[in-house]
């Protein structure tokens, strides 16, 4: 069976609520602060929140593919709201989860580096609002508007640091510590100091793929974390800051 499958369609929307309220002027023109090459005002958040030339607002339902491994890589995506899972499938058919993205994330940016085909897949884990940006439109605005390029580069650098930390974690830490770290990251621990509820019903198989262990080991550690009061099931999975003690313990 082929590892690559055709991506399902998505729902285009013309009246997507922006991430934050913006003026009518921002709806009709691309705007940011002084200092842009064009001399106009340009707001990168308005650019990423509104439709325009080369930009299309889209809705994806839970579990719906956004793109599939092997699809043409000709667009960049910006996740406005929701959670997206990134996966990759090996030649032998084994699937691995390589990341879970939250609001404010870029993905599919390999197209900007000359990647002709998608090297992995992206699917909605919850209902998602996404801005789809054509490759040419993204390249043009990155060259023209420094504020957006600064935002984009900062995001890529932060994610690169995260990948390095993931590699160190995989090489030197136990599977229990790796699981605790992933749960804290999914709960946005350290963002505004307050962990949030993780996505509802995240599967233990997905967690096992992310930390490189078996589902049975994940189940064992999750039961231990629950008994110790580090996590709590309440519709979704609540992660408490006390779980940090597992990561810090030698």
């Amino acid at each position: 069976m082929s590892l690559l499958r055709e991506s399902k369609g998505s729902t285009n929307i013309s009246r997507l609520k922006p991430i934050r309220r913006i003026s009518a002027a921002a709806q009709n023109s691309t705007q940011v602060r002084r200092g842009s090459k064009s001399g106009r005002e340009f707001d990168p958040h308005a650019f990423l929140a509104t439709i325009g030339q080369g930009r299309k607002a889209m809705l994806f339902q839970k579990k719906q593919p956004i793109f599939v491994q092997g699809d043409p890589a000709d667009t960049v995506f910006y996740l406005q709201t929701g959670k997206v899972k990134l996966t990759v499938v090996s030649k032998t058919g084994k699937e691995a989860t390589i990341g879970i993205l939250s609001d404010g994330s870029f993905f599919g940016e390999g197209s900007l580096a000359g990647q002709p085909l998608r090297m992995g897949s992206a699917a909605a884990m919850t209902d998602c609002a996404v801005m789809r940006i054509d490759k040419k439109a993204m390249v043009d605005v990155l060259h023209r508007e420094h504020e957006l390029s600064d935002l984009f580069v900062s995001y890529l650098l932060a994610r690169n640091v995260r990948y390095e930390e993931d590699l160190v974690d995989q090489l030197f830490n136990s599977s229990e510590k790796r699981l605790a770290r992933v749960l804290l990251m999914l709960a946005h621990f350290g963002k505004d100091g307050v962990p949030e509820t993780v996505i509802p019903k995240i599967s233990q198989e997905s967690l096992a793929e992310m930390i490189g262990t078996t589902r049975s080991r994940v189940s064992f550690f999750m039961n231990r974390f629950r008994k110790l009061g580090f996590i709590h099931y309440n519709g979704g999975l609540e992660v408490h800051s006390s779980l940090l003690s597992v990561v810090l313990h030698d």
Side-chain angles (χ1 to χ4, degrees):
M1 183 175 65
S2 174
L3 298 180
L4 307 180
R5 53 192 176 85
E6 185 178 355
S7 177
K8 295 180 181 179
S10 59
T11 305
N12 297 343
I13 56 172
S14 59
R15 293 187 178 179
L16 179 66
K17 292 182 179 180
I19 299 173
R20 59 177 186 171
R21 291 187 179 180
I22 55 176
S23 65
Q27 297 280 352
N28 299 320
S29 63
T30 312
Q31 297 188 338
V32 199
R33 295 174 178 97
R34 294 178 183 175
S36 70
K37 284 185 177 182
S38 62
R40 297 177 292 105
E41 290 188 352
F42 175 88
D43 184 350
H45 298 287
F47 176 84
L48 295 167
T50 57
I51 59 175
Q53 186 174 4
R55 306 194 307 280
K56 182 183 293 184
M58 311 179 79
L59 288 180
F60 293 89
Q61 297 178 348
K62 183 179 179 180
K63 296 185 178 180
Q64 185 177 0
I66 298 173
F67 60 75
V68 176
Q69 189 170 327
D71 283 351
D74 54 4
T75 53
V76 178
F77 294 88
Y78 179 76
L79 179 57
Q80 296 175 326
T81 60
K83 302 259 186 194
V84 168
K85 180 167 72 170
L86 303 179
T87 59
V88 64
V89 178
S90 70
K91 291 182 178 179
T92 59
K94 184 176 181 180
E95 182 177 280
T97 300
I98 58 175
I100 293 178
L101 306 179
S102 300
D103 303 5
S105 299
F106 292 94
F107 59 104
E109 71 284 350
S111 59
L112 302 181
Q115 198 177 82
L117 301 175
R118 300 292 185 192
M119 302 301 292
S121 301
M125 296 190 74
T126 63
D127 291 345
C128 293
V130 174
M131 182 63 69
R132 179 185 183 274
I133 309 171
D134 291 344
K135 175 181 175 180
K136 183 179 184 305
M138 188 67 176
V139 169
D140 288 346
V141 76
L142 287 175
H143 285 163
R144 187 176 67 248
E145 307 294 355
H146 289 163
E147 293 222 11
L148 182 64
S149 60
D150 289 347
L151 178 69
F152 184 65
V153 169
S154 294
Y155 174 80
L156 294 182
L157 291 174
R159 195 173 66 183
N160 186 61
V161 169
R162 155 83 186 280
Y163 285 163
E164 290 181 355
E165 291 173 346
D166 288 347
L167 178 59
V168 172
D169 192 42
Q170 194 76 22
L171 291 173
F172 297 111
N173 288 331
S174 66
S175 53
E176 183 179 28
K177 280 189 176 181
R178 297 199 302 271
L179 177 60
R181 178 173 174 267
V182 165
L183 291 175
L184 288 166
M185 289 172 59
L186 290 175
H188 287 188
F189 179 76
K191 263 191 176 180
D192 302 324
V194 181
E196 65 177 30
T197 301
V198 182
I199 54 175
K201 298 180 182 178
I202 181 170
S203 71
Q204 293 187 352
E205 288 86 353
S206 293
L207 290 171
E209 291 169 1
M210 293 178 72
I211 66 173
T213 190
T214 63
R215 181 191 176 281
S216 61
R217 292 297 285 168
V218 169
S219 178
F220 174 79
F221 292 134
M222 293 292 278
N223 285 331
R224 175 187 288 181
F225 294 164
R226 181 179 54 80
K227 290 176 181 178
L228 292 172
F230 296 154
I231 63 174
H232 178 67
Y233 293 98
N234 184 21
L237 175 63
E238 291 184 7
V239 178
H240 303 294
S241 58
S242 56
L243 183 60
L244 187 62
S245 62
V246 176
V247 178
L248 299 178
H249 180 68
D250 291 329

